[in-house]
């Protein structure tokens, strides 16, 4: 798969607002939409990877899941270990019991379901939950369990069936999200069936990119305009959404379609592509996964320990520390495991 530096720049636009939103900075009142951006990017990249292998007849489920494990679990396991040590010393017995239940749900791929049952994402008490952010990782993991087999089956029926399957699932999932928002908003927020359309929107973009004929007749000027519209949509959601904005339904179309437009039309030879490919943004994007893993535990444990003395200065320091630890995890854990430095093949 050809590397696109602008996608790492887009990851930076997702992780920075997420971290500072959880830090309590009201400027990025909609910073939680960074997760929606990540969902679309993940669906796009995973579909490109699988679709390419299926088209060539070289897809291997074993190799696919090995890649996912090497990508996600080394850094996650290390952060979870550090969290467990911190929880042992900081949490009161009742809270420690809750922590272990949360931890178990992370590694049996059900933390989104667990938190749906036990915790509201925007509840004040959630600020002390060191593993709350893992719900989004579990949504992606559940998607990885199901999606390759759907794509394989559809491909056997023909390329048209792939398009029909992806589009149908997007519509079904989106309708379920809208329905659940009316009766069970936290179900729409946490559960795969209501979030799947965001990942599948990325899959739809991957199909468009794979069939270059569909975009070939569009002028570079139109592509550039659409890419900038996409960025505007993301920035609008980041700065103007709030924790009262219904999430996973129609409002979420704004950041997700914005992300899709950038994935489809931003290229390194265009103005926006050059902006997103700036070294600073790319560097932040490369460490975004590990930074995401670290930021919530740092903030949650500090709030728990400091109580009312926790302020924005402390939050700013911890947000900055998240990126430092994110870089360290990326360099010394993510990279060695992904590239076989520890003996993986």
């Amino acid at each position: 798969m050809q590397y696109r530096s602008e996608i790492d720049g887009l990851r930076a636009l997702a992780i920075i607002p997420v971290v500072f939103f959880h830090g309590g900075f009201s400027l990025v009142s909609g910073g939680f939409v960074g997760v929606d951006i990540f969902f679309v990017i993940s669906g796009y990249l995973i579909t490109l990877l699988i679709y390419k292998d299926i088209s060539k007849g070289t897809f291997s489920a074993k190799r696919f899941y090995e890649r996912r494990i090497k990508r996600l679990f080394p850094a996650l396991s290390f952060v979870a270990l550090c969290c467990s040590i911190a929880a042992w010393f900081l949490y009161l017995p009742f809270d420690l019991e809750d922590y272990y239940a949360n931890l178990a749900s992370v590694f049996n791929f059900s933390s989104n379901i667990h938190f749906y049952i036990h915790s509201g994402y925007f509840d004040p008490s959630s600020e002390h939950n060191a593993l709350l952010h893992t719900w989004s990782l579990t949504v992606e993991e559940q998607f990885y369990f199901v999606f390759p087999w759907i794509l394989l089956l559809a491909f056997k029926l023909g390329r048209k069936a792939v398009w029909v399957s992806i589009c149908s699932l997007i519509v079904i999932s989106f309708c379920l999200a809208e329905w659940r928002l009316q009766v069970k908003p936290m179900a729409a927020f946490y559960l795969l069936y209501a979030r799947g359309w965001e990942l599948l929107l990325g899959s739809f973009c991957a199909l468009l990119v794979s069939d270059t004929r569909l975009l070939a007749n569009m002028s570079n000027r139109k592509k550039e305009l659409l890419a900038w519209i996409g960025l505007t949509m993301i920035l609008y959601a980041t700065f103007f959404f709030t924790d009262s904005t219904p999430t996973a339904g129609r409002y979420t179309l704004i950041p997700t379609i914005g992300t899709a437009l950038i994935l489809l039309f931003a290229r390194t030879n265009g103005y926006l592509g050059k902006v997103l490919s700036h070294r600073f943004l790319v560097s932040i994007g490369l460490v975004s996964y590990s930074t995401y893993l670290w930021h919530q535990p740092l903030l949650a444990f500090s709030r728990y320990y400091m109580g009312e003395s926790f302020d924005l200065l402390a939050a700013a320091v911890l947000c900055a520390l998240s990126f430092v630890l994110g870089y360290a995890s990326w360099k010394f854990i993510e990279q060695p495991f992904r590239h076989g430095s520890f003996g993986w093949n």
Side-chain angles (χ1 to χ4, degrees):
M1 186 190 306
Q2 183 180 0
Y3 173 66
R4 291 179 57 189
S5 56
E6 66 273 15
I7 292 181
D8 277 322
L10 184 56
R11 284 192 175 111
L13 296 185
I15 190 60
I16 293 172
V18 165
V19 170
F20 285 96
F21 169 77
H22 287 145
F25 292 87
S26 58
L27 177 64
V28 286
S29 58
F32 55 87
V33 302
V35 171
D36 303 295
I37 297 171
F38 281 128
F39 281 158
V40 180
I41 294 173
S42 294
Y44 173 80
L45 294 175
I46 286 300
T47 303
L48 278 182
L49 182 67
I50 298 173
Y51 192 77
K52 178 183 176 182
D53 287 347
I54 292 176
S55 299
K56 292 181 177 179
T58 60
F59 176 76
S60 165
K62 179 176 179 290
R63 186 170 65 248
F64 171 77
Y65 289 115
E66 281 179 350
R67 286 176 180 172
R68 293 299 89 207
I69 290 170
K70 290 164 67 173
R71 171 73 176 95
L72 299 174
F73 279 87
L76 174 61
S77 299
F78 180 73
V79 172
L81 174 63
C82 293
C83 287
S84 298
I85 295 170
W88 177 264
F89 288 102
L90 292 175
Y91 280 158
L92 295 172
F94 178 81
D95 296 313
L96 187 62
E97 183 178 345
D98 281 347
Y99 170 81
Y100 285 133
N102 297 342
L103 182 65
S105 72
V106 172
F107 288 98
N108 65 19
F109 314 112
S110 65
S111 66
N112 60 328
I113 300 170
H114 177 79
F115 293 133
Y116 161 60
I117 296 171
H118 297 286
S119 176
Y121 185 79
F122 297 108
D123 291 348
S125 60
S126 296
E127 291 186 342
H128 297 157
N129 191 331
L131 299 176
L132 181 66
H133 62 321
T134 61
W135 75 269
S136 63
L137 304 182
T138 303
V139 168
E140 289 196 24
E141 289 159 0
Q142 292 166 355
F143 181 77
Y144 298 151
F145 282 132
V146 176
F147 181 69
W149 308 108
I150 294 175
L151 203 57
L152 273 169
L153 177 61
F155 198 87
K156 288 182 179 180
L157 300 174
R159 293 180 185 270
K160 184 177 180 180
V162 174
W163 282 96
V164 171
S165 299
I166 297 298
C167 293
S168 299
L169 288 171
I170 289 173
V171 172
I172 292 170
S173 176
F174 180 80
C175 290
L176 287 172
E178 278 288 296
W179 169 58
R180 295 307 277 171
L181 274 173
Q182 307 306 315
V183 293
K184 284 280 187 179
M186 281 298 101
F189 186 94
Y190 278 120
L191 302 182
L192 175 62
Y193 66 76
R195 288 288 192 168
W197 70 267
E198 300 180 45
L199 290 138
L200 290 164
L201 180 60
S203 300
F204 179 79
C205 293
L207 295 183
L208 283 174
V209 169
S210 297
D211 193 339
T212 55
R213 297 170 300 172
L214 297 174
L215 302 177
N217 294 328
M218 185 175 292
S219 68
N220 289 334
R221 172 180 275 185
K222 288 182 179 178
K223 290 179 181 178
E224 186 73 13
L225 175 61
L226 288 169
W228 280 101
I229 291 173
L231 177 63
T232 303
M233 295 171 75
I234 289 173
L235 294 178
Y236 174 83
T238 299
F239 292 110
F240 292 101
F241 279 16
T242 69
D243 56 12
S244 63
T245 303
T247 302
R250 69 191 72 176
Y251 288 93
T252 310
L253 288 169
I254 296 174
T256 53
I257 290 179
T259 303
L261 290 174
I262 291 177
L263 290 173
L264 289 171
F265 302 115
R267 290 296 183 271
T268 50
N269 59 352
Y271 292 112
L272 180 57
K274 289 176 181 177
V275 171
L276 293 176
S277 297
H278 189 279
R279 183 175 180 179
F280 173 75
L281 289 178
V282 170
S283 298
I284 296 295
L286 286 171
V287 304
S288 58
Y289 173 62
S290 281
T291 300
Y292 183 77
L293 291 178
W294 278 111
H295 84 283
Q296 177 68 12
L298 287 174
L299 292 165
F301 285 129
S302 297
R303 285 189 172 105
Y304 188 89
Y305 179 73
M306 297 175 67
E308 293 183 0
S309 64
F310 185 90
D311 56 17
L312 286 182
L313 177 60
V317 171
L318 291 167
C319 288
L321 182 58
S322 299
F323 289 96
V324 174
L325 292 176
Y327 171 77
S329 290
W330 172 79
K331 184 173 180 61
F332 298 112
I333 300 176
E334 281 193 64
Q335 291 297 97
F337 274 97
R338 288 183 71 182
H339 298 296
S341 302
F342 293 148
W344 292 66
N345 293 319

